C-alpha cells in the first residue's frame, strides 16, 4: 500500500528556528519521512502577509531551508522545497479565493489575533487560509499535521475541496488532520507561563537552533525559576522548572518522573547544567550542518532545485485538471 501523503510548511520569518519549533513540529517531520510520502515547504508566500524586507526574506528563506536539511530531512526520503518556487500555489489560491464565501472567510478566528498585532493589515492576512488550502490541495495530501489553532483552516480546506469537486468534477483528495504526538508547549525561559515564540519579548527567553553553546548555556543557567529547591513538575507553582523538565525529557527521551527521581536532593544548578548540555548536544550538529550548507550556495541551490522539481511535477498535474475544469 502506498504511504499516506503528508504536507506541512513553516514560515521563514525569523533568523533561526527555536526549540519550540523543533520539538513541536520539525523533529516530528523527520520521523514522518520514514512513514509518509512527505512534502515539507518553506512558506515564503505566507511570509508576505505581514510587512517584510526583500533581502531579509530571501536570506531567511535560505536559512530556514538549510535548517530543514540540517535537522535530518533527507531529499532521498522526502521532498523539501520553497513555496514560491512552485507558481501553481498562487494560481490555485486565486481560483479558490473566488469560490470562498465572504462570510466563510470572515469566520477564520486567527485573523482577529493576527491583525490586532499589525499596523498595516493587508488583504493577504485575511485570505491566507485560502492560500493554505491551495498548498494542501495542490499536492493531494492525505494528511496535514495540525495543532488546535489550525483545525479551522483544515475545515475550510475540506469545504473548498468538496465544493470544487461537486461543481467541477472529482479533482481534489480530502485531507485528514494528522494529530502530532502530544508535545506540550515549550515556554519562554524568562516568562515561563508564556509560550516560547519568535515574537517573545526578550531573546534571552528563546533557545535558537543556531545559537552557539555559550549563549545557550547562559540562557538556560539564567532561566527564571521559583525560589524553592525541589526539581519536580508542577505547572502551577513551578512553571520554570516544569518547562526545563519537559525540555530535558523530550531531548533525552526520559520520562519526567524518572528525571524527578534522578535529581532528588540536587540543586537547580546541577539540573540546569544538564539541561544546557542536552540542548547543546542536540543543537550543535544542526548548527554546524546549517552553516556548512549556507556556505555552499551551489549545494543548497541544488537541493532546493531537486525539491522544487519534484513538487512541481505533482502541482502541475493537479493544475492541468483544475484549469481545464474551471474553463481555461
Ligand atoms: P512562533 O510561535 O515562534 O511564531 P510558529 O507559529 O511559526 O512559531 O510555529 C511553527 C511550528 O512550531 C508550529 O507547528 C507550532 O506548533 C510549533 N511551535 C511553535 N512554538 C512552539 C512552542 N513554544 N512549543 C511547542 N511547539 C511550538
Ligand atoms: Na506564531
Amino acid at each position: 500500500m502506498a504511504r499516506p501523503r503528508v504536507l506541512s510548511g513553516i514560515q521563514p520569518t525569523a533568523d533561526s528556528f527555536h526549540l519550540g519549533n523543533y520539538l513541536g513540529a520539525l523533529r516530528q517531520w523527520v520521523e514522518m519521512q520514514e512513514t509518509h510520502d512527505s512534502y515539507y515547504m518553506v512558506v515564503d508566500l505566507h511570509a508576505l502577509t505581514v510587512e517584510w524586507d526583500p533581502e531579509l526574506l530571501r536570506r531567511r528563506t535560505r536559512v530556514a531551508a538549510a535548517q530543514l536539511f540540517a535537522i535530518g530531512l533527507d531529499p532521498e526520503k522526502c521532498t523539501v522545497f520553497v513555496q514560491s518556487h512552485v507558481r501553481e500555489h498562487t494560481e490555485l489560491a486565486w481560483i479558490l479565493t473566488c469560490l470562498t464565501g465572504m462570510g466563510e472567510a470572515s469566520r477564520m478566528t486567527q485573523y482577529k489575533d493576527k491583525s490586532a498585532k499589525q499596523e498595516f493589515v493587508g488583504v493577504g492576512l485575511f485570505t491566507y487560509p485560502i492560500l493554505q488550502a491551495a498548498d494542501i490541495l495542490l499536492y493531494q495530501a492525505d494528511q496535514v499535521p495540525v495543532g488546535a489553532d489550525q483545525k479551522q483552516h483544515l475545515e475550510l480546506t475540506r469545504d473548498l475541496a468538496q465544493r470544487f469537486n461537486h461543481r467541477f468534477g472529482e479533482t481534489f483528495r480530502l485531507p485528514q488532520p494528522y494529530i502530532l504526538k502530544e508535545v506540550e508547549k515549550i515556554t519562554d525561559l524568562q516568562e515561563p507561563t508564556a509560550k516560547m515564540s519568535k515574537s517573545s519579548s526578550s531573546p534571552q527567553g528563546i533557545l535558537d537552533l543556531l545559537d552557539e553553546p555559550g549563549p545557550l548555556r547562559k540562557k538556560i543557567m539564567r532561566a527564571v525559576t521559583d525560589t524553592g529547591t525541589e526539581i519536580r513538575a508542577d505547572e502551577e507553582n513551578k512553571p520554570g522548572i516544569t518547562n526545563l523538565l519537559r525540555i530535558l525529557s523530550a531531548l533525552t527521551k526520559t520520562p519526567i518522573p524518572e528525571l524527578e527521581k534522578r535529581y532528588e536532593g540536587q540543586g537547580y544548578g546541577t539540573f540546569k547544567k544538564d539541561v544546557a548540555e542536552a540542548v547543546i548536544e542536540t543543537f550543535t550538529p544542526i548548527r554546524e550542518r546549517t552553516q556548512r550548507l549556507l556556505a555552499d550556495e551551489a549545494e543548497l541551490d541544488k537541493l532546493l532545485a531537486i525539491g522544487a522539481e519534484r513538487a512541481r511535477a505533482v502541482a502541475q498535474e493537479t493544475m492541468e485538471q483544475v484549469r481545464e475544469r474551471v474553463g481555461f
Side-chain angles (χ1 to χ4, degrees):
M1 212 183 74
R3 297 187 298 171
R5 182 170 294 166
V6 70
L7 177 115
S8 198
I10 189 145
Q11 292 208 36
T13 41
D15 292 321
S16 169
F17 294 133
H18 56 72
L19 181 67
N21 301 139
Y22 181 69
L23 292 177
L26 303 178
R27 188 169 78 165
Q28 314 200 41
W29 290 11
V30 179
E31 286 169 17
M32 272 191 286
Q33 71 181 343
E34 309 294 343
T35 51
H36 288 70
D37 176 22
S38 312
Y39 287 74
Y40 301 124
M41 52 180 184
V42 178
V43 291
D44 55 348
L45 293 172
H46 284 281
L48 307 191
T49 55
V50 295
E51 280 187 87
W52 77 97
D53 172 80
E55 272 319 311
L56 195 57
L57 176 62
R58 203 180 341 263
R59 191 182 81 223
R60 286 176 166 178
T61 299
R62 291 182 75 81
V63 176
Q67 286 174 93
L68 294 185
F69 294 115
I71 60 170
L73 292 179
D74 177 353
E76 305 265 320
K77 295 181 181 168
C78 68
T79 301
V80 177
F81 65 103
V82 174
Q83 187 186 26
S84 68
H85 293 180
V86 182
R87 300 301 156 108
E88 282 75 9
H89 288 262
T90 44
E91 185 182 1
L92 182 58
W94 174 250
I95 293 168
L96 296 180
T97 299
C98 295
L99 291 172
T100 306
M102 280 298 289
E104 188 171 40
S106 306
R107 280 194 293 277
M108 298 296 119
T109 52
Q110 266 203 15
Y111 173 72
K112 293 189 188 75
D113 295 342
K114 292 200 170 188
S115 59
K117 291 179 198 146
Q118 300 301 321
E119 214 165 288
F120 171 79
V121 178
V123 174
L125 192 65
F126 179 66
T127 58
Y128 97 95
I130 306 172
L131 177 58
Q132 228 174 34
D135 298 337
I136 297 164
L137 298 179
L138 210 42
Y139 297 94
Q140 308 285 358
D142 297 296
Q143 297 176 357
V144 184
V146 282
D149 56 340
Q150 293 287 324
K151 278 207 185 106
Q152 205 186 24
H153 295 168
L154 189 62
E155 274 313 304
L156 175 70
T157 303
R158 290 171 55 89
D159 289 346
L160 288 171
Q162 270 172 316
R163 188 170 310 154
F164 190 102
N165 289 350
H166 183 73
R167 264 183 73 177
F168 305 107
E170 209 54 44
T171 308
F172 295 119
R173 198 172 295 175
L174 292 193
Q176 304 284 340
Y178 177 86
I179 306 303
L180 286 173
K181 229 180 309 144
E182 195 53 56
V183 173
E184 284 172 274
K185 285 280 173 255
I186 303 302
T187 61
D188 189 298
L189 299 181
Q190 288 302 312
E191 214 183 317
T193 53
K195 93 170 187 149
M196 186 179 288
S197 164
K198 58 178 170 272
S199 43
S200 290
S201 52
S202 155
Q204 298 312 309
I206 315 166
L207 298 171
D208 275 331
L209 226 43
L210 301 183
D211 276 340
E212 302 272 345
L216 288 173
R217 205 170 278 126
K218 204 180 264 177
K219 287 177 185 181
I220 293 166
M221 295 313 289
R222 291 180 186 170
V224 169
T225 55
D226 57 279
T227 54
T229 55
E230 257 187 305
I231 294 155
R232 97 187 125 76
D234 177 350
E235 199 70 68
E236 201 155 308
N237 302 303
K238 300 171 81 71
I241 290 293
T242 307
N243 188 42
L244 294 175
L245 276 168
R246 202 181 282 138
I247 291 170
L248 189 58
S249 165
L251 291 178
T252 62
K253 306 214 155 117
T254 312
I256 287 181
E258 206 173 298
L259 293 174
E260 290 173 327
K261 212 176 289 157
R262 183 184 306 167
Y263 290 101
E264 221 174 73
Q266 306 213 44
Y268 287 175
T270 315
F271 169 61
K272 281 176 157 179
K273 225 181 261 165
D274 290 354
V275 176
E277 291 319 309
V279 171
I280 289 167
E281 199 173 302
T282 306
F283 282 16
T284 298
I286 295 174
R287 175 175 46 78
E288 289 174 350
R289 280 197 290 267
T290 302
Q291 285 166 344
R292 269 203 298 279
L293 207 42
L294 287 171
D296 189 349
E297 285 191 36
E299 176 66 10
L300 185 54
D301 286 343
K302 190 190 82 187
L303 292 175
L304 289 177
I306 292 170
E309 196 182 326
R310 237 185 270 148
R312 225 177 269 133
V314 180
Q316 283 174 351
E317 192 181 319
T318 301
M319 280 313 291
E320 269 166 39
Q321 290 188 13
V322 170
R323 290 183 193 122
E324 205 264 324
R325 286 177 183 169
V326 300
F328 293 165

